[in-house]
Amino acid sequence: GAVVSQHPSWVICKSGTSVKIECRSLDFQATTMFWYRQFPKQSLMLMATSNEGSKATYEQGVEKDKFLINHASLTLSTLTVTSAHPEDSSFYICSARSRGTYEQYFGPGTRLTVT
Amino acid sequence: SQKIEQNSEALNIQEGKTATLTCNYTNYSPAYLQWYRQDPGRGPVFLLLIRENEKEKRKERLKVTFDTTLKQSLFHITASQPADSATYLCAQNSGNTPLVFGKGTRLSVIA
């Protein structure tokens, strides 16, 4: 149980374009979803937290107009990187948690490369 | 600010030995400490969660301890195997807060 999927697993886009990443909880209701970013040989850095049906809460230094997060249902959250630049190239990982629990389950990640 | 530290960036051990990884926290008292395994190019996989009022938790060959006096959690893998080679991440949260991760320890089990 507790499976989280992400799509796509990797994407290459041109500078200035937008990219959408999907995160789905397959066998549980994710009342809270989290988006993390991980640079090579570094730990996961939290970007934002979203509760189903509410606006996302962004961490300090994360531009909410650049990283659009939507958590419209209990099984789906999306992250859209708008006007992507090469410095946005990273490994993006989503995580989900159901109500009343403290374990977070992670997706397999999405490798974004902006050329 | 809350800090969670995994002091060893890398650890090499011989197959069959017990691997012990350390996680320290400062400036706060987390309600939960969690341990994850991450393989290259993959998302973290949940292993164990231990609450602040628990001293020890076990799952098969894994054992986690939580010492609130030392502000430390130890993660043990007994009878280690080459397949255990991965990066192990310690993370903390309190209540509904999101997980904050340490930098991880890269474990290599040598046959």
Side-chain angles (χ1 to χ4, degrees):
Chain A
V3 178
V4 177
S5 70
Q6 263 182 261
H7 179 79
S9 55
W10 60 270
V11 58
I12 301 172
C13 72
K14 292 190 176 178
S15 189
T17 61
S18 295
V19 172
K20 181 186 281 189
I21 302 169
E22 288 188 352
C23 175
R24 293 180 186 273
S25 57
L26 299 185
D27 52 1
F28 67 102
Q29 293 188 328
T31 49
T32 306
M33 283 188 165
F34 309 89
W35 286 94
Y36 290 81
R37 182 165 54 181
Q38 186 176 35
F39 292 105
K41 301 204 173 179
Q42 294 189 25
S43 192
L44 286 76
M45 296 301 297
L46 179 67
M47 298 174 68
T49 301
S50 72
N51 293 301
E52 185 261 338
S54 302
K55 285 185 180 179
T57 302
Y58 290 81
E59 295 299 298
Q60 195 170 13
V62 178
E63 299 174 57
K64 63 179 182 183
D65 294 330
K66 180 169 185 62
F67 298 99
L68 302 178
I69 291 171
N70 184 284
H71 188 174
S73 78
L74 285 170
T75 58
L76 173 65
S77 176
T78 60
L79 167 68
T80 302
V81 182
T82 62
S83 188
H85 289 285
E87 55 264 32
D88 298 325
S89 299
S90 187
F91 192 50
Y92 291 87
I93 311 172
C94 75
S95 175
R97 186 176 72 195
S98 58
R99 192 188 310 279
T101 67
Y102 302 104
E103 297 92 340
Q104 282 180 221
Y105 296 94
F106 288 80
T110 297
R111 171 78 54 197
L112 170 64
T113 302
V114 184
T115 60
Chain B
S1 62
Q2 298 177 354
K3 281 184 73 174
I4 189 158
E5 294 176 341
Q6 294 180 256
N7 293 329
S8 296
E9 191 175 314
L11 177 66
N12 298 328
I13 64 162
Q14 207 71 32
E15 182 178 8
K17 301 290 186 186
T18 296
T20 299
L21 284 65
T22 305
C23 176
N24 295 291
Y25 57 92
T26 57
N27 300 335
Y28 64 100
S29 295
Y32 309 93
L33 277 172
Q34 305 189 30
W35 285 87
Y36 288 78
R37 169 183 172 140
Q38 187 176 26
D39 291 284
R42 306 289 296 172
V45 173
F46 172 76
L47 296 176
L48 281 167
L49 176 151
I50 187 165
R51 292 172 169 76
E52 61 179 339
N53 61 352
E54 296 175 319
K55 291 272 192 267
E56 183 180 294
K57 206 87 169 275
R58 290 176 185 258
K59 178 181 171 184
E60 298 171 354
R61 294 186 295 113
L62 309 180
K63 184 176 85 170
V64 172
T65 62
F66 195 165
D67 189 326
T68 54
T69 302
L70 293 177
K71 294 188 180 239
Q72 182 180 83
S73 174
L74 298 179
F75 176 79
H76 306 272
I77 306 175
T78 58
S80 59
Q81 305 163 1
D84 295 325
S85 299
T87 295
Y88 291 86
L89 301 166
C90 173
Q92 68 84 18
N93 63 348
S94 296
N96 288 327
T97 61
L99 282 173
V100 174
F101 284 86
K103 290 186 176 179
T105 297
R106 191 173 63 254
L107 174 67
S108 297
V109 181
I110 303 160

